[in-house]
Amino acid sequence: MRILLGVTAGIAAYKVPFLIRLLVKQGAEVRCVMTPDARDFVSPLVLSTLSNHPVAIEFWNKETGAWNNHVALAEWADLLVICPCTANTLSKMASGACDNLLLAIFLSMRNKTILFPAMDLEMYRHPTVQRNMDQLEQDGSIIVPAEYGELASGLSGQGRLPEPETLLEYILGVVASKRDFLGKNVVVTAGPTYEAIDPVRFIGNHASGKMGLALAERLAERGADVLLVLGPSKCSVSHPKIKVCSVVSAEEMWNEVKNNWDSMDFGFFAAAVADYQPERASQHKIKKSAGESMALTLVKTPDILAWAGKHKKEHQRIIGFALETQNGEVNAKEKLHTKKADYMVLNVPVENESGFNAETNKVCIFGKDDRLWDIPLMQKREVANAILNVITNTQ
Ligand code: PMT
């Protein structure tokens, strides 16, 4: 794995030496390219010592007379990682400017480029910066959104560069992304279920299907053939490797999983399935009666995840999700064991920014061997990638 690490002039550059060490420990060959101003934030001597290669900064080194060939560097790299990536560099890249060595390499890359933007929160959310990131994503770069948290300015918000271990997870995920689920059959459940009370009423919940869809899309991108069993949802899906099967109730969702389970390698159970359904759905709309109250008799729905756990074969892996309002860790671990899952993803509440219907999510993942991975608050698509990275790195 040959990684060209581009460093631009942001305070978060202090994390780059740690990242180089982690990459080298993974067996990667790392070469560094800096923008001239990045030298004020981290010393080229540190980067060249840790990467064991001279750092390229200018097209032409006036002292030695050596020429840094941007085309040769771009051809050498399996992956260009720009970390941190400042607003200035984002802007230049989005417009195709080419006034330094790093930008010339970026324009010469045939392999993937992954960008880790990091800056202060107002800059990060400025429409021009957002527009530049969208443009670069459309043009094929992989943008890893900045994290939320404490910033160098003393303010708190989105703009923070992830910690080196998390940067490494992303990079490994991208490196592996061409192949790690290739040839795998995967079923994903997503969305809510609706349990009919009568023809016009149901028992349901606020799940949107976004988390399950994000998983299905990332799995498909990483090579899997995906069956998405989707409860009532407004999400639309159009990936050639995702087959969508729309269902309404827990019973219907269970039937689809059961009918396809034998051919599956993985099951991701991200649906918020109703635990109970009315014992009998009324054929006609239930009329308001004279009494002050009414009672519905509910019976348990099939537990789809537990069924899959019970029928799991040696090669199959099961990933459950847990949504709790109290004792999250204890309950998630209990579900992991009783439902015989291999991993349990616990939604961690962050007001309006995680769980049902949000665009972002904050989760932690429990493994069977009591391992724990804490995933920061990110877009659901990035959370999905982080979950897949954990799975492939621990198989
Ligand atoms: O769809 P979004 O709006 O994006 O929201 C995503 C989400 C919050 C719904 C998702 O991240 C999530 O946490 N899904 C599981 C929610 C849930 O129902 O958790 P639970 O703790 O009740 O269930 C535990 C596990 O058992 C889940 O994997 C669930 O799919 C499964 N289950 C539960 C009951 C049942 N009858 N059958 C099941 O398979």
Side-chain angles (χ1 to χ4, degrees):
M1 171 169 57
R2 291 184 296 198
I3 294 186
L4 198 53
L5 189 53
V7 184
T8 71
I11 183 66
Y14 79 89
K15 293 183 180 172
V16 170
F18 298 96
L19 174 62
I20 297 174
R21 292 210 62 157
L22 293 173
L23 286 166
V24 170
K25 274 193 194 155
Q26 291 289 323
E29 195 179 338
V30 182
R31 293 186 181 202
C32 296
V33 185
M34 300 175 94
T35 58
D37 287 344
R39 284 175 292 196
D40 294 336
F41 292 86
V42 62
S43 152
L45 178 63
V46 175
L47 304 192
S48 68
T49 306
L50 293 174
S51 65
N52 214 15
H53 286 289
V55 176
I57 302 172
E58 311 279 0
F59 287 99
W60 178 59
N61 185 322
K62 292 179 188 92
E63 277 115 53
T64 64
W67 176 49
N68 285 313
N69 182 338
H70 57 282
V71 177
L73 281 165
E75 277 188 353
W76 172 84
D78 295 320
L79 182 68
L80 171 64
V81 177
I82 304 188
C83 172
C85 190
T86 58
N88 184 44
T89 294
L90 284 172
S91 157
K92 288 182 175 184
M93 287 194 302
S95 64
C98 189
D99 64 357
N100 65 40
L101 178 65
L102 179 59
L103 294 168
I105 292 170
F106 169 69
L107 291 177
S108 310
M109 278 301 290
R110 272 192 297 216
N111 285 327
K112 286 185 181 171
T113 299
I114 173 166
L115 309 175
F116 289 99
M119 60 202 77
D120 209 48
L121 77 164
E122 294 301 345
M123 286 174 86
Y124 190 84
R125 67 176 166 218
H126 197 281
T128 55
V129 173
Q130 291 292 323
R131 197 165 54 235
N132 289 335
M133 287 196 281
D134 288 347
Q135 182 63 56
L136 286 161
E137 197 160 43
Q138 270 176 39
D139 294 343
S141 294
I142 299 161
I143 315 264
V144 179
E147 281 185 0
Y148 292 75
E150 203 184 318
L151 302 166
S153 62
L155 298 172
S156 200
Q158 190 173 16
R160 196 181 149 87
L161 186 71
E163 293 305 312
E165 289 76 13
T166 312
L167 297 171
L168 177 72
E169 290 259 312
Y170 277 117
I171 294 167
L172 293 181
V174 171
V175 169
S177 68
K178 285 180 211 145
R179 61 179 186 277
D180 60 352
F181 283 85
L182 192 67
K184 301 292 181 200
N185 289 317
V186 182
V187 60
V188 178
T189 69
T193 65
Y194 288 175
E195 311 303 326
I197 298 171
D198 66 18
V200 295
R201 304 180 181 97
F202 57 83
I203 296 172
N205 59 65
H206 298 293
S208 63
K210 288 177 192 170
M211 190 65 239
L213 177 62
L215 275 164
E217 286 177 338
R218 299 296 81 72
L219 281 158
E221 277 172 17
R222 291 164 78 147
D225 289 295
V226 183
L227 172 66
L228 176 64
V229 187
L230 182 61
S233 162
K234 291 193 182 118
C235 291
S236 62
V237 191
S238 65
H239 194 290
K241 284 175 88 75
I242 303 178
K243 182 179 163 206
V244 185
C245 176
S246 297
V247 296
V248 176
S249 64
E251 192 87 30
E252 288 174 17
M253 191 173 269
W254 183 44
N255 283 332
E256 288 305 327
V257 172
K258 263 196 312 186
N259 292 341
N260 292 284
W261 184 242
D262 281 351
S263 60
M264 293 298 157
D265 299 296
F266 290 89
F268 289 79
F269 295 88
V273 187
D275 286 324
Y276 290 91
Q277 66 192 51
E279 186 176 34
R280 213 164 291 109
S282 168
Q283 255 192 313
H284 299 287
K285 185 180 170 197
I286 301 172
K287 290 281 180 207
K288 199 194 283 185
S289 60
E292 281 306 307
S293 62
M294 73 164 286
L296 267 181
T297 305
L298 302 179
V299 293
K300 275 190 175 159
T301 55
D303 192 318
I304 307 165
L305 171 60
W307 179 90
K310 201 169 158 196
H311 293 85
K312 185 170 75 168
K313 298 200 187 68
E314 186 81 8
H315 73 282
Q316 291 176 317
R317 294 286 174 272
I318 292 181
I319 300 88
F321 283 71
L323 184 77
E324 304 291 340
T325 55
Q326 51 188 354
N327 301 329
E329 184 171 336
V330 174
N331 289 328
K333 281 185 179 167
E334 194 192 316
K335 284 177 184 170
L336 173 77
H337 296 298
T338 54
K339 299 194 186 205
K340 297 193 170 59
D342 296 286
Y343 303 88
M344 186 58 67
V345 181
L346 172 67
N347 294 273
V348 179
V350 181
E351 208 174 336
N352 296 330
E353 291 187 298
S354 69
F356 284 154
N357 204 21
E359 296 302 324
T360 48
N361 207 4
K362 160 100 191 77
V363 302
C364 56
I365 307 172
F366 296 95
K368 272 194 306 194
D369 47 4
D370 281 339
R371 281 185 74 180
L372 166 69
W373 294 267
D374 196 9
I375 310 293
L377 180 72
M378 299 187 284
Q379 297 291 316
K380 282 183 174 165
R381 67 193 306 272
E382 302 306 335
V383 173
N385 260 332
I387 294 169
L388 301 187
N389 293 345
V390 165
I391 294 166
T392 44
N393 292 338
T394 53
Q395 288 300 299

